[in-house]
Amino acid sequence: MFDLDHLFAAAQPIRRLFPWLLAGLTVSALFGAYWVTANISPLRPDTASYLYFDPSRPIGYPVFLWISGLFGELQLAVKIQMAVLAASLFLLGWAFYKWSGNAALSALFQIALLASPEMWKFSATLITEGLATAGIALWCAQLLVTMRKPSIARIAVLALLSAASVLVKPSLVVMFVATGIATPLLETRKQRFLSLAITVAGLIVALGATPVANYLLHGSSSSGSPVARGIFQHTLFC
């Protein structure tokens, strides 16, 4: 006779070890990426505009580079953003496993997340793509968590991640639309209204942060328009 109790007991070691498997895959991919991209120059034509807080750029990535520079030479920023990307992909893989409950499918999903050479090459340069990809991965992980057990606090985290991503890459404003679409997951009208208000507030803060920062840094709030920089095609790409 088929014994479900024994089958469940046999699955427990796998459940306990599975996070370590995902972590092992992620760390292996990260160090492999460090090795493969070691000879890639981190500088790109756009890098200088981020390093010197050009008013045409959103404030998020220049702040990231400035903080990274406090801990050492600029090359460290590459290592940090690659590590941030790897951590975000691990969290997405772990969230997918908790959501699906399928270890084999989750392992394949994690491998697929980590297997893009172009993603790692972009993350090895001082442009926004690596950090923006990390923001998207964290948002997707949080969405899976929110789908399992919706709450206002979890929707607020989606809005916060959307705001942080927009400050890195303005075309990711589409994430606020997706966050708003997630609000019907909540049970009551009051909860949905409050979560929508939090999302709108996050959008206002994200759009206003760069002009405010430019005013403090340069004495003017003028900045480049995300629309002028091709928000439509960038959003479709993301």
Side-chain angles (χ1 to χ4, degrees), residues 84 87-89 91-92 133-143 157-158 161 175:
V84 169
S88 69
L89 294 175
L91 291 174
L92 177 53
T133 302
I136 295 170
L138 288 172
W139 187 92
C140 291
Q142 180 64 19
L143 179 63
V157 173
L158 287 176
L161 291 171
M175 293 168 68

Side-chain angles (χ1 to χ4, degrees), residues 119-132:
M119 175 187 69
W120 292 112
K121 288 179 182 178
F122 275 124
S123 70
T125 57
L126 295 177
I127 54 177
T128 59
E129 272 65 19
L131 212 58

Side-chain angles (χ1 to χ4, degrees), residues 49-129:
S49 62
Y50 293 113
L51 287 172
Y52 299 110
F53 289 84
D54 191 291
S56 67
R57 298 296 184 182
I59 197 63
Y61 196 63
V63 168
F64 166 76
L65 293 179
W66 178 75
I67 293 173
S68 300
L70 294 177
F71 297 97
E73 60 185 33
L74 193 59
Q75 183 66 33
L76 183 62
V78 171
K79 303 297 184 184
I80 293 174
Q81 73 179 12
M82 292 178 76
V84 169
L85 175 59
S88 69
L89 294 175
F90 165 75
L91 291 174
L92 177 53
W94 175 240
F96 182 83
Y97 171 65
K98 297 293 286 185
W99 176 74
S100 68
N102 189 315
L105 182 61
S106 298
L108 292 175
F109 179 74
Q110 188 72 23
I111 292 170
L113 287 176
L114 299 167
S116 169
E118 291 303 313
M119 175 187 69
W120 292 112
K121 288 179 182 178
F122 275 124
S123 70
T125 57
L126 295 177
I127 54 177
T128 59
E129 272 65 19

